[in-house]
Amino acid sequence: MNTQALNIGEKSARLPLIQGGMGVGVSLSGLAGAVAKEGGIGIISTAQIGFRESDFESDAKKANLRAMVTELAKARTLAARADGSCDGLLGFNIMVATKDYGDYVRTAAEAGADVIISGAGLPIDLPRYVEGSTTKIAPIVSSEKAARILLKMWDKHHHRTADFLVIESAHAGGHLGFSHETLSHLYDEDFDPNYDQEIQKIISCTDSYAKKYNTTIPVILAGGIRTADQIRHALSLGASGVQIATPFVVTEECDAAPAFKQAYLDAHAEDIHIVTSPVGMPARAIQNPFLDKIAAAKEPITKCYRCLEKCSPKTAPYCITQALIRAVKGDTQNGLIFCGDNAAYLTQLTTVPALIKTLFPV
C-alpha cells in the first residue's frame, strides 16, 4: 500500500496511523512508545492513568497528573532511535467528561505532548487550555452536526480551528457517541454506506474551516478498522488516516495484563454487547460474569475516585474506575472489558511491528 505521511501542522508521522487511546491502563507508555517507534502516533489514555501509583487511593488526581508526565517520558524513550530521532508522534486521549478536564489538558501540553485527542463530549474549551504550547489538538466527533457545532464554537470563541479531527464510528470500543436506537441498526445492510455519506459531510464541513484559516485539517477515521482494505476504503472517502485501537490490545507491547488480552482472543461476536455505562452512555464491552452480576443488582460503591463529571456514587450501578482497573490487571471475571466490535476477529497474539505490517503492506 502506498501511504503518505500524516502531517499535522509542522509535526509529522511517517504512517497515517493513530493508535487509539484505551483506558484504564490499556494504552500507556509500552504500547504508545512501540507504535511511535514504527512511525505511527502513539496515544496514552489519561483515564485513571495513575492507578499503579502508591498514592492513587488517597489522591487519584495527583497520582494521575504525575503519571501522565512519567508515562510520556517513558514512551519517548521507547520510541526513540539511538540518535534520539523518531518517525512517529506521541500524545494523550483525554475525555471531556473527566473531572478537572482542564488540569489534565494543561499537564499534557506542559509535558510536551505532540497531540491531544479529546472526545466523550464536545471539547469546547480545549484550545484555551493548550494556548501557548505547540501541542496539536483534535476533537472526536461522530456526526456532521457535532463537527459543525464544535468548529463553529472554536472559530467564534477561540479564533482558531482544529489541527486535525477524528471521526469515530459506531463500531468503536468503549463509550460511543450514538444512541441505543441508532446502535440497534448497526448491522443493517445500509448502515455503513449511509455512514460513509455522513463521513463525507464531516470532511466537507472540516474543509470549509481549513479554507477559512488557510490551512489543512487532516480527518482521521476510527471505529472497527482492522484490515488494509478497510484503510484503503477510509482513504478513498477523503480521510487522511485512520485510528485503530482494539487490534493493538492483542500485541505483546500492550500495557494490559495477559488475561485481559486473552479475553479479546476468546471473544466471539455474540459475546460483544452494547451496555450502558454508569454515566448513562452506550458503550461496547465483552459479556462476562461482572456484567451478568451488575445486571441483576448494583455493586456497592465504597469509594468515589472522582473520575467522571456526570457519575454519582448514589445512583451509579457500579464504580467504573474499580471495574476497569480490575480488568486491566487481569481479573476479567470481575472487571469491565471495553472493546471494539472487531475484537471478534482477533485470534492470536502479535506484536506492534507485525500488526502494522499487515495494516500497511508494502
mmCIF file of all heavy atoms in Angstrom, residues 39-79:
data_model
loop_
_atom_site.group_PDB
_atom_site.id
_atom_site.type_symbol
_atom_site.label_atom_id
_atom_site.label_comp_id
_atom_site.label_asym_id
_atom_site.label_seq_id
_atom_site.Cartn_x
_atom_site.Cartn_y
_atom_site.Cartn_z
ATOM 1 N N GLY A 39 6.517 4.545 13.507
ATOM 2 C CA GLY A 39 6.135 5.627 12.615
ATOM 3 C C GLY A 39 4.699 6.076 12.719
ATOM 4 O O GLY A 39 4.257 6.916 11.929
ATOM 5 N N GLY A 40 3.947 5.537 13.673
ATOM 6 C CA GLY A 40 2.575 5.973 13.877
ATOM 7 C C GLY A 40 2.488 7.000 14.995
ATOM 8 O O GLY A 40 3.499 7.489 15.505
ATOM 9 N N ILE A 41 1.268 7.320 15.378
ATOM 10 C CA ILE A 41 1.041 8.229 16.501
ATOM 11 C C ILE A 41 0.548 7.394 17.673
ATOM 12 O O ILE A 41 -0.538 6.814 17.632
ATOM 13 C CB ILE A 41 0.014 9.324 16.152
ATOM 14 C CG1 ILE A 41 0.515 10.148 14.959
ATOM 15 C CG2 ILE A 41 -0.235 10.226 17.358
ATOM 16 C CD1 ILE A 41 -0.415 11.274 14.539
ATOM 17 N N GLY A 42 1.375 7.297 18.712
ATOM 18 C CA GLY A 42 1.024 6.519 19.893
ATOM 19 C C GLY A 42 0.268 7.378 20.892
ATOM 20 O O GLY A 42 0.706 8.480 21.216
ATOM 21 N N ILE A 43 -0.847 6.851 21.358
ATOM 22 C CA ILE A 43 -1.714 7.625 22.254
ATOM 23 C C ILE A 43 -1.838 6.944 23.607
ATOM 24 O O ILE A 43 -2.194 5.767 23.713
ATOM 25 C CB ILE A 43 -3.115 7.812 21.639
ATOM 26 C CG1 ILE A 43 -3.020 8.606 20.330
ATOM 27 C CG2 ILE A 43 -4.043 8.509 22.622
ATOM 28 C CD1 ILE A 43 -2.510 10.030 20.487
ATOM 29 N N ILE A 44 -1.561 7.710 24.656
ATOM 30 C CA ILE A 44 -1.689 7.268 26.038
ATOM 31 C C ILE A 44 -3.032 7.749 26.569
ATOM 32 O O ILE A 44 -3.385 8.916 26.410
ATOM 33 C CB ILE A 44 -0.547 7.857 26.889
ATOM 34 C CG1 ILE A 44 0.817 7.365 26.378
ATOM 35 C CG2 ILE A 44 -0.732 7.511 28.361
ATOM 36 C CD1 ILE A 44 2.000 8.149 26.951
ATOM 37 N N SER A 45 -3.784 6.864 27.180
ATOM 38 C CA SER A 45 -5.056 7.263 27.787
ATOM 39 C C SER A 45 -4.804 7.832 29.177
ATOM 40 O O SER A 45 -4.092 7.233 29.986
ATOM 41 C CB SER A 45 -5.993 6.058 27.897
ATOM 42 O OG SER A 45 -7.114 6.395 28.708
ATOM 43 N N THR A 46 -5.406 8.990 29.459
ATOM 44 C CA THR A 46 -5.242 9.583 30.795
ATOM 45 C C THR A 46 -6.262 9.048 31.797
ATOM 46 O O THR A 46 -6.174 9.369 32.985
ATOM 47 C CB THR A 46 -5.377 11.113 30.749
ATOM 48 O OG1 THR A 46 -6.716 11.464 30.375
ATOM 49 C CG2 THR A 46 -4.389 11.729 29.784
ATOM 50 N N ALA A 47 -7.199 8.245 31.354
ATOM 51 C CA ALA A 47 -8.249 7.745 32.261
ATOM 52 C C ALA A 47 -7.624 6.968 33.415
ATOM 53 O O ALA A 47 -7.084 5.878 33.218
ATOM 54 C CB ALA A 47 -9.234 6.865 31.498
ATOM 55 N N GLN A 48 -7.652 7.562 34.606
ATOM 56 C CA GLN A 48 -7.082 6.949 35.816
ATOM 57 C C GLN A 48 -5.697 6.375 35.536
ATOM 58 O O GLN A 48 -5.343 5.277 35.988
ATOM 59 C CB GLN A 48 -8.026 5.889 36.374
ATOM 60 C CG GLN A 48 -9.424 6.404 36.708
ATOM 61 C CD GLN A 48 -9.452 7.461 37.796
ATOM 62 O OE1 GLN A 48 -8.705 8.423 37.773
ATOM 63 N NE2 GLN A 48 -10.342 7.299 38.765
ATOM 64 N N ILE A 49 -4.891 7.135 34.832
ATOM 65 C CA ILE A 49 -3.562 6.694 34.409
ATOM 66 C C ILE A 49 -2.639 6.392 35.592
ATOM 67 O O ILE A 49 -1.717 5.593 35.495
ATOM 68 C CB ILE A 49 -2.936 7.759 33.475
ATOM 69 C CG1 ILE A 49 -1.618 7.277 32.874
ATOM 70 C CG2 ILE A 49 -2.769 9.087 34.184
ATOM 71 C CD1 ILE A 49 -1.049 8.229 31.837
ATOM 72 N N GLY A 50 -2.920 6.993 36.728
ATOM 73 C CA GLY A 50 -2.067 6.791 37.894
ATOM 74 C C GLY A 50 -2.484 5.655 38.798
ATOM 75 O O GLY A 50 -2.065 5.602 39.962
ATOM 76 N N PHE A 51 -3.259 4.709 38.280
ATOM 77 C CA PHE A 51 -3.821 3.653 39.134
ATOM 78 C C PHE A 51 -2.761 2.773 39.782
ATOM 79 O O PHE A 51 -3.035 2.110 40.786
ATOM 80 C CB PHE A 51 -4.821 2.784 38.350
ATOM 81 C CG PHE A 51 -4.202 1.832 37.363
ATOM 82 C CD1 PHE A 51 -4.046 0.485 37.663
ATOM 83 C CD2 PHE A 51 -3.808 2.276 36.112
ATOM 84 C CE1 PHE A 51 -3.496 -0.398 36.752
ATOM 85 C CE2 PHE A 51 -3.244 1.398 35.192
ATOM 86 C CZ PHE A 51 -3.096 0.061 35.511
ATOM 87 N N ARG A 52 -1.551 2.766 39.238
ATOM 88 C CA ARG A 52 -0.474 1.962 39.814
ATOM 89 C C ARG A 52 0.407 2.764 40.772
ATOM 90 O O ARG A 52 1.326 2.209 41.376
ATOM 91 C CB ARG A 52 0.385 1.364 38.696
ATOM 92 C CG ARG A 52 -0.384 0.372 37.821
ATOM 93 C CD ARG A 52 0.473 -0.274 36.774
ATOM 94 N NE ARG A 52 0.998 0.689 35.802
ATOM 95 C CZ ARG A 52 1.511 0.373 34.614
ATOM 96 N NH1 ARG A 52 1.546 -0.896 34.247
ATOM 97 N NH2 ARG A 52 1.974 1.288 33.802
ATOM 98 N N GLU A 53 0.119 4.066 40.916
ATOM 99 C CA GLU A 53 0.903 4.908 41.812
ATOM 100 C C GLU A 53 0.542 4.609 43.269
ATOM 101 O O GLU A 53 -0.611 4.277 43.586
ATOM 102 C CB GLU A 53 0.653 6.387 41.518
ATOM 103 C CG GLU A 53 1.051 6.818 40.115
ATOM 104 C CD GLU A 53 2.557 6.840 39.922
ATOM 105 O OE1 GLU A 53 3.261 7.473 40.725
ATOM 106 O OE2 GLU A 53 3.026 6.194 38.961
ATOM 107 N N SER A 54 1.517 4.753 44.155
ATOM 108 C CA SER A 54 1.309 4.387 45.565
ATOM 109 C C SER A 54 0.266 5.250 46.261
ATOM 110 O O SER A 54 -0.364 4.807 47.223
ATOM 111 C CB SER A 54 2.635 4.474 46.327
ATOM 112 O OG SER A 54 3.145 5.803 46.291
ATOM 113 N N ASP A 55 0.066 6.484 45.785
ATOM 114 C CA ASP A 55 -0.883 7.383 46.440
ATOM 115 C C ASP A 55 -2.203 7.506 45.684
ATOM 116 O O ASP A 55 -2.998 8.408 45.958
ATOM 117 C CB ASP A 55 -0.263 8.768 46.622
ATOM 118 C CG ASP A 55 0.179 9.396 45.295
ATOM 119 O OD1 ASP A 55 0.284 8.650 44.295
ATOM 120 O OD2 ASP A 55 0.437 10.619 45.271
ATOM 121 N N PHE A 56 -2.456 6.590 44.749
ATOM 122 C CA PHE A 56 -3.684 6.683 43.953
ATOM 123 C C PHE A 56 -4.933 6.636 44.820
ATOM 124 O O PHE A 56 -5.886 7.386 44.592
ATOM 125 C CB PHE A 56 -3.727 5.554 42.914
ATOM 126 C CG PHE A 56 -4.969 5.553 42.064
ATOM 127 C CD1 PHE A 56 -5.154 6.502 41.075
ATOM 128 C CD2 PHE A 56 -5.967 4.602 42.254
ATOM 129 C CE1 PHE A 56 -6.306 6.520 40.294
ATOM 130 C CE2 PHE A 56 -7.121 4.603 41.479
ATOM 131 C CZ PHE A 56 -7.285 5.563 40.493
ATOM 132 N N GLU A 57 -4.966 5.762 45.815
ATOM 133 C CA GLU A 57 -6.155 5.630 46.657
ATOM 134 C C GLU A 57 -6.409 6.889 47.485
ATOM 135 O O GLU A 57 -7.557 7.238 47.757
ATOM 136 C CB GLU A 57 -6.010 4.420 47.582
ATOM 137 C CG GLU A 57 -6.069 3.075 46.872
ATOM 138 C CD GLU A 57 -7.438 2.791 46.261
ATOM 139 O OE1 GLU A 57 -8.448 3.216 46.861
ATOM 140 O OE2 GLU A 57 -7.492 2.166 45.189
ATOM 141 N N SER A 58 -5.364 7.589 47.877
ATOM 142 C CA SER A 58 -5.538 8.769 48.719
ATOM 143 C C SER A 58 -5.716 10.050 47.918
ATOM 144 O O SER A 58 -6.388 10.987 48.362
ATOM 145 C CB SER A 58 -4.344 8.932 49.667
ATOM 146 O OG SER A 58 -3.134 9.074 48.928
ATOM 147 N N ASP A 59 -5.134 10.108 46.716
ATOM 148 C CA ASP A 59 -5.242 11.316 45.887
ATOM 149 C C ASP A 59 -5.093 10.923 44.416
ATOM 150 O O ASP A 59 -4.019 11.034 43.827
ATOM 151 C CB ASP A 59 -4.163 12.326 46.274
ATOM 152 C CG ASP A 59 -4.408 13.711 45.678
ATOM 153 O OD1 ASP A 59 -5.133 13.804 44.677
ATOM 154 O OD2 ASP A 59 -3.854 14.690 46.224
ATOM 155 N N ALA A 60 -6.187 10.455 43.839
ATOM 156 C CA ALA A 60 -6.155 9.914 42.479
ATOM 157 C C ALA A 60 -5.727 10.971 41.461
ATOM 158 O O ALA A 60 -4.941 10.697 40.551
ATOM 159 C CB ALA A 60 -7.514 9.343 42.106
ATOM 160 N N LYS A 61 -6.229 12.191 41.622
ATOM 161 C CA LYS A 61 -5.890 13.235 40.649
ATOM 162 C C LYS A 61 -4.392 13.517 40.664
ATOM 163 O O LYS A 61 -3.754 13.599 39.605
ATOM 164 C CB LYS A 61 -6.671 14.505 40.934
ATOM 165 C CG LYS A 61 -6.331 15.645 39.980
ATOM 166 C CD LYS A 61 -7.091 16.914 40.323
ATOM 167 C CE LYS A 61 -6.619 18.069 39.452
ATOM 168 N NZ LYS A 61 -7.318 19.335 39.786
ATOM 169 N N LYS A 62 -3.820 13.681 41.828
ATOM 170 C CA LYS A 62 -2.387 13.943 41.935
ATOM 171 C C LYS A 62 -1.584 12.806 41.314
ATOM 172 O O LYS A 62 -0.626 13.036 40.564
ATOM 173 C CB LYS A 62 -2.000 14.122 43.404
ATOM 174 C CG LYS A 62 -0.530 14.446 43.629
ATOM 175 C CD LYS A 62 -0.239 14.620 45.122
ATOM 176 C CE LYS A 62 1.238 14.906 45.371
ATOM 177 N NZ LYS A 62 1.513 15.053 46.839
ATOM 178 N N ALA A 63 -1.984 11.581 41.592
ATOM 179 C CA ALA A 63 -1.306 10.419 41.022
ATOM 180 C C ALA A 63 -1.432 10.396 39.508
ATOM 181 O O ALA A 63 -0.473 10.084 38.788
ATOM 182 C CB ALA A 63 -1.868 9.131 41.626
ATOM 183 N N ASN A 64 -2.605 10.750 39.007
ATOM 184 C CA ASN A 64 -2.842 10.750 37.565
ATOM 185 C C ASN A 64 -1.981 11.783 36.851
ATOM 186 O O ASN A 64 -1.365 11.495 35.816
ATOM 187 C CB ASN A 64 -4.313 11.022 37.268
ATOM 188 C CG ASN A 64 -5.216 9.857 37.611
ATOM 189 O OD1 ASN A 64 -4.774 8.716 37.663
ATOM 190 N ND2 ASN A 64 -6.483 10.137 37.849
ATOM 191 N N LEU A 65 -1.949 12.991 37.365
ATOM 192 C CA LEU A 65 -1.185 14.059 36.716
ATOM 193 C C LEU A 65 0.307 13.732 36.703
ATOM 194 O O LEU A 65 1.004 13.986 35.714
ATOM 195 C CB LEU A 65 -1.443 15.390 37.412
ATOM 196 C CG LEU A 65 -2.884 15.917 37.342
ATOM 197 C CD1 LEU A 65 -3.003 17.259 38.064
ATOM 198 C CD2 LEU A 65 -3.370 16.057 35.901
ATOM 199 N N ARG A 66 0.792 13.171 37.788
ATOM 200 C CA ARG A 66 2.203 12.783 37.844
ATOM 201 C C ARG A 66 2.484 11.655 36.851
ATOM 202 O O ARG A 66 3.502 11.662 36.140
ATOM 203 C CB ARG A 66 2.570 12.345 39.265
ATOM 204 C CG ARG A 66 4.058 11.971 39.412
ATOM 205 C CD ARG A 66 4.433 11.695 40.866
ATOM 206 N NE ARG A 66 3.722 10.570 41.440
ATOM 207 C CZ ARG A 66 2.760 10.667 42.350
ATOM 208 N NH1 ARG A 66 2.377 11.857 42.809
ATOM 209 N NH2 ARG A 66 2.172 9.591 42.816
ATOM 210 N N ALA A 67 1.586 10.680 36.795
ATOM 211 C CA ALA A 67 1.775 9.542 35.885
ATOM 212 C C ALA A 67 1.747 9.974 34.423
ATOM 213 O O ALA A 67 2.423 9.366 33.577
ATOM 214 C CB ALA A 67 0.713 8.482 36.145
ATOM 215 N N MET A 68 0.972 11.000 34.092
ATOM 216 C CA MET A 68 0.959 11.497 32.717
ATOM 217 C C MET A 68 2.361 11.901 32.274
ATOM 218 O O MET A 68 2.808 11.559 31.172
ATOM 219 C CB MET A 68 0.012 12.696 32.598
ATOM 220 C CG MET A 68 -1.461 12.352 32.640
ATOM 221 S SD MET A 68 -2.508 13.841 32.604
ATOM 222 C CE MET A 68 -2.100 14.504 30.984
ATOM 223 N N VAL A 69 3.059 12.615 33.133
ATOM 224 C CA VAL A 69 4.397 13.096 32.796
ATOM 225 C C VAL A 69 5.377 11.930 32.666
ATOM 226 O O VAL A 69 6.163 11.853 31.706
ATOM 227 C CB VAL A 69 4.888 14.099 33.855
ATOM 228 C CG1 VAL A 69 6.312 14.563 33.544
ATOM 229 C CG2 VAL A 69 3.937 15.299 33.943
ATOM 230 N N THR A 70 5.319 10.996 33.606
ATOM 231 C CA THR A 70 6.270 9.882 33.583
ATOM 232 C C THR A 70 5.982 8.917 32.432
ATOM 233 O O THR A 70 6.913 8.409 31.797
ATOM 234 C CB THR A 70 6.268 9.123 34.920
ATOM 235 O OG1 THR A 70 4.943 8.657 35.210
ATOM 236 C CG2 THR A 70 6.722 10.028 36.054
ATOM 237 N N GLU A 71 4.710 8.670 32.136
ATOM 238 C CA GLU A 71 4.379 7.756 31.038
ATOM 239 C C GLU A 71 4.787 8.334 29.689
ATOM 240 O O GLU A 71 5.281 7.607 28.817
ATOM 241 C CB GLU A 71 2.887 7.425 31.050
ATOM 242 C CG GLU A 71 2.446 6.499 32.170
ATOM 243 C CD GLU A 71 3.021 5.098 32.062
ATOM 244 O OE1 GLU A 71 3.201 4.606 30.934
ATOM 245 O OE2 GLU A 71 3.302 4.508 33.113
ATOM 246 N N LEU A 72 4.593 9.629 29.497
ATOM 247 C CA LEU A 72 5.007 10.248 28.240
ATOM 248 C C LEU A 72 6.521 10.181 28.083
ATOM 249 O O LEU A 72 7.031 9.869 26.999
ATOM 250 C CB LEU A 72 4.534 11.703 28.171
ATOM 251 C CG LEU A 72 4.890 12.454 26.888
ATOM 252 C CD1 LEU A 72 4.273 11.778 25.664
ATOM 253 C CD2 LEU A 72 4.439 13.918 26.967
ATOM 254 N N ALA A 73 7.237 10.442 29.171
ATOM 255 C CA ALA A 73 8.697 10.369 29.116
ATOM 256 C C ALA A 73 9.166 8.955 28.792
ATOM 257 O O ALA A 73 10.088 8.757 27.976
ATOM 258 C CB ALA A 73 9.296 10.839 30.439
ATOM 259 N N LYS A 74 8.541 7.945 29.396
ATOM 260 C CA LYS A 74 8.919 6.556 29.113
ATOM 261 C C LYS A 74 8.605 6.192 27.665
ATOM 262 O O LYS A 74 9.390 5.490 27.007
ATOM 263 C CB LYS A 74 8.192 5.614 30.077
ATOM 264 C CG LYS A 74 8.713 5.650 31.491
ATOM 265 C CD LYS A 74 8.183 4.514 32.345
ATOM 266 C CE LYS A 74 6.712 4.652 32.652
ATOM 267 N NZ LYS A 74 6.238 3.597 33.591
ATOM 268 N N ALA A 75 7.474 6.667 27.162
ATOM 269 C CA ALA A 75 7.108 6.387 25.776
ATOM 270 C C ALA A 75 8.119 6.998 24.817
ATOM 271 O O ALA A 75 8.490 6.379 23.808
ATOM 272 C CB ALA A 75 5.705 6.916 25.484
ATOM 273 N N ARG A 76 8.571 8.200 25.115
ATOM 274 C CA ARG A 76 9.560 8.851 24.240
ATOM 275 C C ARG A 76 10.865 8.054 24.216
ATOM 276 O O ARG A 76 11.498 7.912 23.166
ATOM 277 C CB ARG A 76 9.821 10.282 24.700
ATOM 278 C CG ARG A 76 8.671 11.221 24.423
ATOM 279 C CD ARG A 76 9.120 12.639 24.174
ATOM 280 N NE ARG A 76 7.983 13.529 23.963
ATOM 281 C CZ ARG A 76 7.288 13.620 22.846
ATOM 282 N NH1 ARG A 76 7.611 12.870 21.796
ATOM 283 N NH2 ARG A 76 6.274 14.463 22.745
ATOM 284 N N THR A 77 11.264 7.543 25.360
ATOM 285 C CA THR A 77 12.475 6.725 25.418
ATOM 286 C C THR A 77 12.327 5.465 24.575
ATOM 287 O O THR A 77 13.232 5.080 23.828
ATOM 288 C CB THR A 77 12.794 6.354 26.874
ATOM 289 O OG1 THR A 77 13.027 7.547 27.628
ATOM 290 C CG2 THR A 77 14.025 5.465 26.959
ATOM 291 N N LEU A 78 11.163 4.810 24.672
ATOM 292 C CA LEU A 78 10.915 3.588 23.911
ATOM 293 C C LEU A 78 10.860 3.851 22.412
ATOM 294 O O LEU A 78 11.262 3.001 21.606
ATOM 295 C CB LEU A 78 9.591 2.956 24.357
ATOM 296 C CG LEU A 78 9.561 2.337 25.749
ATOM 297 C CD1 LEU A 78 8.135 1.999 26.152
ATOM 298 C CD2 LEU A 78 10.431 1.085 25.795
ATOM 299 N N ALA A 79 10.357 5.023 22.031
ATOM 300 C CA ALA A 79 10.138 5.318 20.613
ATOM 301 C C ALA A 79 11.379 5.812 19.898
ATOM 302 O O ALA A 79 11.463 5.746 18.669
ATOM 303 C CB ALA A 79 9.036 6.372 20.481
#
